[in-house]
Amino acid sequence: MTRASRCRPWFRTLALVVSGLASGAAMAASLQVAPTTLELQAGQDAEALWLSNSGTDPVQVQVRLFRWTQVDGRDELRPTQDLLISPPMQQLGAGQRQLVRIMRAGAGAPPTQQYYRVIVDEVPAFDPDRSGMQFVLRYSVPVFVLPEGPAGQPDLQWRLVPGDDGNAQIEVSNAGDGHAQIADLAQGDPERPLIVRAGLVGYVLPGMTMRWPLEHPASRFQDGRFSARINGEPEQTPLPAAPATR
């Protein structure tokens, strides 16, 4: 883990962080978070995040909030006091459900959309008699603080760039004024897409660029067409290619 002043976790919208090797035990963890996305409208001062413990043992939970941006094709989180969390730390008993409030620190809507992530960590309990691995959960919940007026729209373009492993990466840039959640990235005809990254791929924030590995060489993608489901839409949307550079 990097320092909090420059935290770059490799997680998707909802991420599982496991201490040790992944196994079925990780999926049986009891901490649950809802909803998986938060929005604060222009006149809204707070929003609710619910934590629950479906297990039979108490769970210690830490909740933190970071300003979310994207640098060099990666998510980057930085500490912020734009929003406040109450309570930031708690213990959930077996079967308990707890409300956490995400609140604005200042008055008035921002001039443009603002982006944050709430990080919810299960804090491992200290047990000197424990042997073996201990599995813990981390959830990463996007928070969108919206300005007044109509919702912004993304304007996306893609291009292929080489990855460190010799395979291609897709680089997606967003020149619009709204974020894009990208899922089911596919190549070929959008009416009969060949999915190359199933499920949630990630977000591209306005004015930002993200990269994701495709796990195949660029020659695999000579068709030159990509599509994806954008912001939860049920249908595939074609993604325009970026103009070729000289």
Side-chain angles (χ1 to χ4, degrees):
M1 181 71 67
T2 56
R3 293 180 301 172
S5 61
R6 192 173 179 80
C7 179
R8 290 186 176 183
W10 295 352
F11 44 64
R12 297 183 181 182
T13 304
L14 190 61
L16 174 67
V17 175
V18 179
S19 161
L21 300 177
S23 76
M27 300 311 294
S30 59
L31 176 63
Q32 298 172 3
V33 176
T36 58
T37 302
L38 295 173
E39 281 191 359
L40 273 75
Q41 303 293 328
Q44 186 178 358
D45 293 328
E47 185 58 279
L49 185 69
W50 288 95
L51 312 181
S52 58
N53 177 7
S54 61
T56 57
D57 296 318
V59 175
Q60 190 75 18
V61 181
Q62 180 183 37
V63 185
R64 296 173 294 159
L65 196 139
F66 295 88
R67 184 70 180 264
W68 176 24
T69 186
Q70 293 167 334
V71 178
D72 296 330
R74 299 179 182 179
D75 287 321
E76 180 168 294
L77 305 182
R78 296 181 181 275
T80 181
Q81 296 183 345
D82 296 347
L83 300 177
L84 304 175
I85 297 172
S86 178
M89 194 83 161
Q90 62 237 282
Q91 178 172 284
L92 294 178
Q96 184 180 354
R97 190 167 183 248
Q98 171 69 48
L99 169 67
V100 175
R101 291 176 61 81
I102 312 299
M103 302 171 290
R104 293 179 189 266
T112 59
Q113 283 192 32
Q114 304 295 314
Y115 305 93
Y116 305 87
R117 278 191 180 263
V118 175
I119 306 299
V120 181
D121 285 310
E122 179 185 356
V123 180
F126 175 71
D127 184 353
D129 298 325
R130 180 186 295 273
S131 61
M133 297 179 183
Q134 184 173 6
F135 297 93
V136 295
L137 280 173
R138 165 173 289 179
Y139 291 91
S140 172
V141 179
V143 181
F144 303 106
V145 180
L146 306 181
E148 303 212 6
Q153 297 297 318
D155 180 5
L156 305 177
Q157 291 185 333
W158 68 267
R159 68 186 183 106
L160 293 182
V161 297
D164 294 336
D165 60 357
N167 290 325
Q169 293 183 323
I170 188 167
E171 182 178 272
V172 182
S173 299
N174 184 0
D177 57 359
H179 66 272
Q181 182 203 63
I182 296 178
D184 291 338
L185 181 67
Q187 69 170 132
D189 185 352
E191 299 295 324
R192 302 168 63 184
L194 175 62
I195 302 295
V196 295
R197 288 196 57 140
L200 178 64
V201 178
Y203 286 81
V204 190
L205 302 180
M208 305 295 177
T209 298
M210 285 290 289
R211 299 188 201 100
W212 295 285
L214 296 177
E215 300 179 356
H216 294 282
S219 58
R220 165 80 177 269
F221 308 102
Q222 292 303 314
D223 178 274
R225 290 182 294 175
F226 282 94
S227 62
R229 292 194 304 110
I230 307 299
N231 290 335
E233 292 294 328
E235 303 298 329
Q236 294 287 123
T237 298
L239 299 177
T245 56
R246 297 184 178 181

